[in-house]
Amino acid sequence: IDVAKAAEYVLSCRNFDGGFGCVPGAESHAGQIFCCVGALAIMGKVCDLCEDDVDLLCWWLAERQCDSGGLNGRPEKQADVCYSWWIVSALAILGRVEWISREKLGVFILECQDDEDGGIADRPGNMPDVFHTFFGISGLSLIGHFNQKG
C-alpha cells in the first residue's frame, strides 16, 4: 500500500471546521472523524496534522456534547450513545479526552441502560440493542468508568 497517498487522501477529506467528511467536501461527521483519525494513527500519520489542526478538530468533537451529557454526530442532532465510542476514541487517539465532561457522559450512557434486560439504547427510554450496548460499554471504558473504586 502507498501509505503516503492513502494519508494524503484521508487528509483531503478534512474540512474548514476541523472535522472530516467521508469524501473531500462532504459534511463533517463524528463517525467519519473516528475513521480518518484512526486510519492516520494506524499509518503513523497523525503527526501530519499540526497542533492548531488537532485543537480545531478536538474543539469540533467536544462541541458535540449536548446538555444531556451525551454526544451527537453532527451539529443540531440528538445525543446518541454510539457517539460515546466514535468521539471519545478519536479524542483518546489525539490525547484530548479531558475536553469533554466524562462524568456527564457516563451519566447519560447509564441512563440509556434498560433496567430489566441490561442492554443499552441509543437514548434514555428507547429499546436497547447490541450495537448501542457495545458502543455504550466502550464509551464507559474510554472515560475510565470501570476503573473507579466503589
Side-chain angles (χ1 to χ4, degrees):
I1 183 169
D2 187 335
V3 172
K5 285 291 247 186
E8 182 181 324
Y9 177 75
V10 170
L11 290 168
S12 76
C13 296
R14 188 170 177 278
N15 291 316
F16 71 93
D17 60 10
F20 288 85
C22 59
V23 295
E27 177 183 18
S28 294
H29 187 276
Q32 194 60 42
I33 290 170
F34 163 76
C35 294
C36 291
V37 169
L40 291 171
I42 291 167
M43 292 185 284
K45 297 292 187 177
V46 170
C47 59
D48 287 359
L49 293 169
C50 73
E51 195 67 20
D52 287 344
D53 291 344
V54 172
D55 284 348
L56 183 59
L57 172 57
C58 292
W59 172 84
W60 191 94
L61 290 168
E63 283 293 308
R64 305 284 55 81
Q65 192 155 36
C66 302
D67 292 340
S68 65
L71 300 162
N72 63 25
R74 314 179 267 160
E76 306 301 322
K77 297 295 184 179
Q78 289 186 320
D80 185 317
V81 162
C82 68
Y83 296 110
S84 62
W85 162 257
W86 302 116
I87 290 174
V88 182
S89 58
L91 289 171
I93 291 168
L94 298 169
R96 304 287 200 294
V97 175
E98 71 279 0
W99 284 27
I100 61 162
S101 171
R102 291 176 284 189
E103 182 180 334
K104 288 180 181 178
L105 178 57
V107 168
F108 176 79
I109 295 169
L110 294 174
E111 287 175 348
C112 294
Q113 184 174 29
D114 187 278
D115 291 334
E116 292 180 26
D117 69 18
I120 299 174
D122 59 344
R123 296 179 188 86
N126 286 357
M127 292 292 297
D129 58 68
V130 72
F131 179 84
H132 289 93
T133 301
F134 169 79
F135 288 129
I137 292 168
S138 298
L140 289 170
S141 178
L142 286 164
I143 61 173
H145 176 81
F146 299 113
N147 299 334
Q148 297 172 5
K149 294 182 180 179

